[in-house]
Amino acid sequence: MSASRRSGTTDELGPDEPERDGSDLLAALLDGMDAALCAFDADGVVTHWNREAERILGWTAAEAVGRRGFAGWAVRTADAEEVEGRLLSAMQAPGRQVHEFALLTKDGGRVLVRTQSATVRGPDGKPAGLYCAFSEVHTQIDLERSIALSEALFEDASWGVVLVDVDLRPAVVNAHAARALGIGRTAVLGRPLGELLSAGVEELESALTHVLAEGAPPAPAEMWVSVRAAEGEKRRCWRSGFLRLASPLAEEPVPLGVGWLFQDVTEAKQTEQEAALLRFRANQLHRAGRAAAECEDPGEAATVYLDFSLAGFADHAVIDRVAAGAVGDAGGPVRLVRAVATPAGPPGPSLLAGKAGLPIRYGDGHPALQCVDRVGSVRASASASASADSVREWAVSRQWPPGSVHALCAVLRSRGRTLGVVTFLRGAGRTQFERADASYAEDVAVRIAAALDLAGTAGHE
């Protein structure tokens, strides 16, 4: 009887449950193993033979149990002495012994197997037999490769690898991914992605949810994210691949999470974007030159250059020309007259202005005046923390459209003279002007200055 019954207690299956034979339980355990297993007594007679061994070699337990050794049935007679000697040597050696040799199947074929053998000791501590677990070599090699691949991915991979659980939280993170996230490998585990990324979280979580529900996408996806770091947020582009992970032990696929592999391609994407932007701007200048060449009025050609330059670059632009002669002719302050302006309301072509020649009331330190004084480009922006009313006042006080937030002034030079200033303006929906933008504005300014000089608008109207 069971120990619980001998003590007078009743186990959870009830008092009328039939006794379980220990040998039946052992047989069930052996038959449920994924590895083939056989056992020998001290004389080398087969005592156990499970179903996986039957599957690999074709010999049933009834045919195998009771045979002495493998000779003549599971091993060629010529190889039997060597094979049995290597197997039985495990009874005299400490620990497990690993060997590879060929076994015979019931239909006469040969199977290369890898065995692990170890001694089984009796109550007196002396060897009473041995067990031998074996599997086909290619199966074992596949398993070892899978394990080696997993270990390599989480230690030495040159791209980020993150296992995300079904709650969309990192469960395992490799060293490369931890560095990309700017946090330790253990500190990232179990934390919501929103605590690690300040932008791009919604897109990433949506992709992970899709993979859990539908499976892996057919191609990698490029995602822009902002990583929280001690020195501030860093905007990065990660080329990401996703794999749905399912348990191999369940009868039906049970999702364990998502394998997320990513590589930082920020520099390559930025270079690609810059190259595309340069091509677009060069094409715009080419188209503007072709269109301006068809204008009979050089002043109209200046507006053509201005209109073509605005595409994808700025929301508004104005051209101010020097009121009379070259800069500083009269020794007094520079006076600027509005010559061309884009509509402040609905989009439309630039319009010639300043017929009366009245100077614009620019205050001291105005970016356009600084541009003339320095004979170089000047950038200006409203304060990022300013209120909407303050930003509007900032733009209106500088004689710009009310929605202007960022400005870039480029000097108009031709034949060694300063003819005026072109000012490009951006609204709140755009980023501030960068150095590359200033270079493009200067290219446009050269063409506008040539057209204005030809038109004689620099004090010769």
Side-chain angles (χ1 to χ4, degrees):
M1 296 185 61
S2 67
S4 62
R5 293 178 190 274
R6 285 197 300 268
S7 63
T9 60
T10 302
D11 62 27
E12 62 180 356
L13 296 180
D16 297 327
E17 178 197 9
E19 291 289 338
R20 288 184 294 225
D21 190 284
S23 61
D24 291 341
L25 178 59
L26 177 60
L29 290 173
L30 293 179
D31 285 340
M33 294 177 61
D34 292 331
L37 186 137
C38 64
F40 302 85
D41 62 16
D43 297 323
V45 176
V46 178
T47 60
H48 295 82
W49 188 267
N50 73 349
R51 289 183 182 177
E52 185 64 13
E54 178 181 343
R55 186 193 67 80
I56 294 176
L57 298 181
W59 302 97
T60 65
E63 294 170 321
V65 174
R67 290 178 180 264
R68 183 181 179 84
F70 284 154
W73 63 286
V75 175
R76 293 192 310 173
T77 303
D79 300 332
E81 183 177 353
E82 178 189 357
V83 170
E84 291 180 9
R86 292 165 67 182
L87 282 177
L88 296 177
S89 66
M91 285 195 289
Q92 308 301 326
R96 292 179 299 174
Q97 302 294 308
V98 179
H99 301 286
E100 287 185 8
F101 44 74
L103 296 181
L104 292 178
T105 63
K106 187 176 181 178
D107 58 9
R110 301 183 72 195
V111 178
L112 184 63
V113 299
R114 176 174 295 177
T115 66
Q116 294 187 38
S117 304
T119 184
V120 177
R121 299 188 180 275
D124 57 358
K126 295 181 180 180
L130 64 89
Y131 75 84
C132 173
F134 62 91
S135 60
E136 297 175 83
V137 167
H138 70 83
T139 302
Q140 183 71 17
I141 291 176
D142 288 344
L143 175 61
E144 291 179 1
R145 283 173 177 163
S146 297
I147 296 173
L149 175 61
S150 298
E151 292 181 350
L153 285 175
F154 286 105
E155 294 297 334
D156 306 321
S158 59
W159 54 88
V161 181
V162 180
L163 297 190
V164 182
D165 62 22
V166 292
D167 294 325
L168 306 186
R169 299 187 179 216
V172 186
V173 178
N174 76 342
H176 186 96
R179 288 194 298 270
L181 292 168
I183 194 170
R185 293 182 65 178
T186 56
V188 71
L189 302 183
R191 298 178 61 178
L193 294 173
E195 294 183 7
L196 306 173
L197 306 174
S198 58
V201 178
E202 294 81 2
E203 182 181 6
L204 177 57
E205 289 184 342
S206 175
L208 294 172
T209 303
H210 173 80
V211 173
L212 281 172
E214 304 292 338
E222 292 178 352
M223 298 182 177
W224 283 95
V225 300
S226 292
V227 181
R228 301 183 190 275
E231 61 275 13
E233 295 183 358
K234 297 187 297 183
R235 185 163 172 77
R236 314 302 297 171
C237 181
W238 291 342
R239 180 173 291 140
S240 302
F242 302 94
L243 298 169
R244 182 167 61 179
L245 306 179
S247 173
L249 304 179
E251 294 183 3
E252 297 182 0
V254 176
L256 296 178
V258 177
W260 170 32
L261 293 82
F262 66 89
Q263 189 173 29
D264 194 320
V265 294
T266 306
E267 294 183 3
K269 290 299 295 182
Q270 289 176 341
T271 300
E272 180 183 325
Q273 291 174 352
E274 290 171 1
L277 184 61
L278 287 175
R279 287 194 300 270
F280 174 75
R281 290 178 175 177
N283 185 53
Q284 285 296 99
L285 289 177
H286 173 75
R287 293 176 59 200
R290 295 288 299 271
E294 301 301 321
C295 297
E296 296 182 3
D297 180 7
E300 183 182 353
T303 66
V304 168
Y305 282 118
L306 192 65
D307 290 336
F308 272 92
S309 67
L310 289 180
F313 182 67
D315 298 317
H316 299 288
V318 296
I319 297 175
D320 300 324
R321 62 180 178 82
V322 175
V327 176
D329 276 354
V334 175
R335 295 181 303 162
L336 297 175
V337 176
R338 183 63 47 84
V340 178
T342 56
S350 301
L351 302 174
L352 294 172
K355 297 292 186 180
L358 298 176
I360 304 173
R361 296 167 53 188
Y362 283 157
D364 294 339
H366 191 281
L369 297 178
Q370 293 182 38
C371 179
V372 174
D373 291 339
R374 298 177 186 178
V375 193
S377 299
V378 174
R379 286 175 284 172
S381 293
S383 174
S385 59
S387 64
D389 291 339
S390 298
V391 171
R392 178 183 178 87
E393 182 181 350
W394 178 87
V396 172
S397 65
R398 286 161 178 76
Q399 311 296 319
W400 294 331
S404 302
V405 177
H406 309 291
L408 171 60
C409 299
V411 66
L412 302 175
R413 298 274 297 176
S414 180
R415 292 188 296 160
R417 297 178 301 151
T418 297
L419 304 183
V421 178
V422 57
T423 302
F424 296 97
L425 302 166
R426 287 178 177 175
R430 293 176 178 264
T431 60
Q432 63 183 4
F433 290 98
E434 304 292 342
R435 179 60 197 138
D437 298 323
S439 298
Y440 177 63
E442 290 164 2
D443 287 344
V444 176
V446 169
R447 290 163 172 76
I448 292 176
L452 291 179
D453 193 16
L454 183 63
T457 56
H460 297 291
E461 290 184 341

